[in-house]
Amino acid sequence: MDSMFDPADDPGSDRSPRLSVGDPELRKTRRLARECATCIFKPGNPMHLDPGRLKQMVAEARGDAGYIICHSTLPYAGSPVPPAVCRGFADRYRTWQLQVMERLWGFVDVEPSGPNLAPTADCPGDTPHA
């Protein structure tokens, strides 16, 4: 007999909790206001990803969580910005998960931290927000 539950849902499984991109005070989903300086979607591979890695990450995100968390907002990055949806991903892919987040809660756009924060015309996610 097939189980209705994924083995990873078993309380005894060793699975780390997913990082939250939800803002508990505003009750909205955090999304970067624009691409970070080293966005994985910028031309030239600024994160030095192995060949095929970006394609793999996008495929996993489109099939599982529905989004990619910006690497510059991950806890180990030391950023003052809490985990947020990657703007590069959000501008390129309209997953059902992002659509639900937008309809139910909406987004709060947060500024990326780090060097090279000036918006540039050649990056579609780099748009100034009031």
Side-chain angles (χ1 to χ4, degrees), residues 18-21 57 67-74 83-86:
R18 180 178 287 272
L19 292 173
S20 174
V21 292
M57 291 171 68
Y67 57 90
I68 292 175
I69 296 176
C70 175
H71 64 276
S72 72
T73 66
L74 294 173
V85 173
C86 169

Side-chain angles (χ1 to χ4, degrees), residues 17-126:
R18 180 178 287 272
L19 292 173
S20 174
V21 292
D23 185 304
E25 291 180 21
L26 297 176
R27 302 183 63 82
K28 293 182 179 286
T29 302
R30 284 185 301 270
R31 174 183 64 187
L32 283 189
R34 56 194 163 79
E35 291 179 357
C36 71
T38 54
C39 184
I40 59 176
F41 292 96
K42 285 191 185 282
N45 194 10
M47 285 299 297
H48 309 289
L49 298 176
D50 290 335
R53 179 65 177 129
L54 178 59
K55 185 176 180 178
Q56 177 189 13
M57 291 171 68
V58 168
E60 289 173 3
R62 291 179 77 191
D64 186 22
Y67 57 90
I68 292 175
I69 296 176
C70 175
H71 64 276
S72 72
T73 66
L74 294 173
Y76 68 81
S79 170
V81 178
V85 173
C86 169
R87 189 56 185 242
F89 182 86
D91 285 348
R92 290 165 178 81
Y93 301 97
R94 295 288 301 164
T95 64
W96 69 265
Q97 295 94 328
L98 286 175
Q99 291 177 42
V100 168
M101 288 175 185
E102 184 173 34
R103 289 183 184 139
L104 292 181
W105 302 289
F107 290 106
V108 57
D109 288 342
V110 295
E111 287 294 322
S113 66
N116 194 14
L117 295 177
T120 58
D122 60 332
C123 294
D126 287 353

